Amino acid sequence: ALSYLRFCRKLKETCRPLWEHEQALLDGLQGEMAVTACRSPLAGTPMLVGLVRPRIILPDTEISTRQLEYILRHELTHLRRRDLIYKWFAVAATSFHWFNPLMPWLRKEISRCCELSCDEAVIGTLNEEQKQQYGETLLALAALHALPRAVPATTLCEEKQQLRERLLGIMRYKKATVLILLLSCLLAVLIAGCAAVLGPQKPVVEL
């Protein structure tokens, strides 16, 4: 907690407001969500921090309007899905179960799934050209260094080893058709029906 508060204090000290056109883009995308944004040299990649007062932190580098739109869509999707709550829960669980060697892996897996799910939600509204641009934005703004472990935040791309998986997911992404959804539901019903009818097997008693 102290490490997190220290990091947030440093961010606040180094933050500077967005340009007017950047703030206008954020206002148009966030709708009724209450979130602020700023730039900081401490941000190695775009990130979302803060449960009570969420804030999008952008790196203090040149970012095109197109890249900024993808960044904001990504982080606003995290905010809409309350991914920070899941990350804080993972931090708490890891702290209480410090003796369990699987907990660090589980925390990392939760973070990875949050990012992949967020990518899927964002690219679901994009065409092929825009998907490629989104992938190029990930490449351009991937962090060189990971955040401190005690800082729960959603980031555009914190670890380069996840980048390949995310880019492949973007290229292979296809919207689920109505037929696929119906077949999936039918399969689930059949499996549940078979389990209900058959029930647990009774042991055979030999006489």
Side-chain angles (χ1 to χ4, degrees), residues 133 152 162 183:
Q133 293 173 349
Q162 292 183 8
L183 290 175

Side-chain angles (χ1 to χ4, degrees), residues 15-19 22-23 26 30 35-39 47 54-58 68 72:
C15 274
R16 66 176 181 84
L18 301 181
W19 296 107
E22 295 174 333
Q23 185 61 47
L26 173 61
Q30 70 174 329
V35 59
T36 59
C38 64
R39 291 180 178 272
M47 66 182 72
R55 176 177 295 186
I56 297 174
I57 311 295
L58 303 177
L68 180 61
L72 294 178

Side-chain angles (χ1 to χ4, degrees), residues 14-206:
T14 59
C15 274
R16 66 176 181 84
L18 301 181
W19 296 107
E20 186 176 348
H21 71 281
E22 295 174 333
Q23 185 61 47
L25 180 59
L26 173 61
D27 293 339
L29 292 174
Q30 70 174 329
E32 298 181 355
M33 290 184 291
V35 59
T36 59
C38 64
R39 291 180 178 272
S40 172
L42 294 181
T45 187
M47 66 182 72
L48 174 69
V49 296
L51 280 175
V52 180
R53 296 179 180 177
R55 176 177 295 186
I56 297 174
I57 311 295
L58 303 177
D60 199 10
T61 56
E62 185 177 352
I63 300 175
S64 68
T65 303
R66 177 62 66 183
Q67 288 177 329
L68 180 61
E69 180 181 352
Y70 293 138
I71 291 168
L72 294 178
R73 287 183 182 276
H74 181 94
E75 299 305 338
L76 289 173
T77 300
H78 277 307
L79 179 61
R80 192 177 299 111
R81 293 183 165 207
R82 297 178 175 86
D83 286 342
L84 279 176
I85 296 178
Y86 301 136
K87 290 205 168 189
W88 270 106
F89 177 79
V91 170
T94 305
S95 299
F96 284 116
H97 294 267
W98 56 268
F99 52 86
N100 189 337
L102 293 179
M103 293 308 296
W105 172 84
L106 180 60
R107 177 182 171 185
K108 187 175 181 180
E109 186 67 13
I110 290 174
S111 178
R112 187 185 70 87
C113 290
C114 282
E115 295 302 328
L116 290 174
S117 177
C118 183
D119 287 338
E120 182 177 345
V122 172
I123 64 179
T125 59
L126 305 180
N127 57 37
E128 292 302 321
E129 181 181 359
Q130 291 172 331
K131 289 179 186 178
Q132 182 177 353
Q133 293 173 349
Y134 182 78
E136 291 172 352
T137 300
L138 292 181
L139 285 171
L141 296 172
L144 296 177
H145 303 287
L147 285 174
R149 290 180 57 83
V151 180
T154 62
T155 61
L156 186 72
C157 189
E158 183 180 344
E159 296 185 7
K160 287 184 178 292
Q161 63 184 5
Q162 292 183 8
L163 190 54
R164 181 175 179 273
E165 181 182 5
R166 292 173 64 180
L167 291 176
L168 287 175
I170 290 172
M171 290 186 293
R172 296 173 180 174
Y173 174 80
K174 292 182 180 179
K175 288 185 178 180
T177 63
V178 176
L179 178 60
I180 292 176
L181 291 175
L182 289 175
L183 290 175
S184 299
C185 293
L186 180 60
L187 180 61
V189 171
L190 288 175
I191 293 175
C194 290
V197 172
L198 296 177
Q201 280 190 329
K202 294 182 179 180
V204 178
V205 180
E206 295 183 0

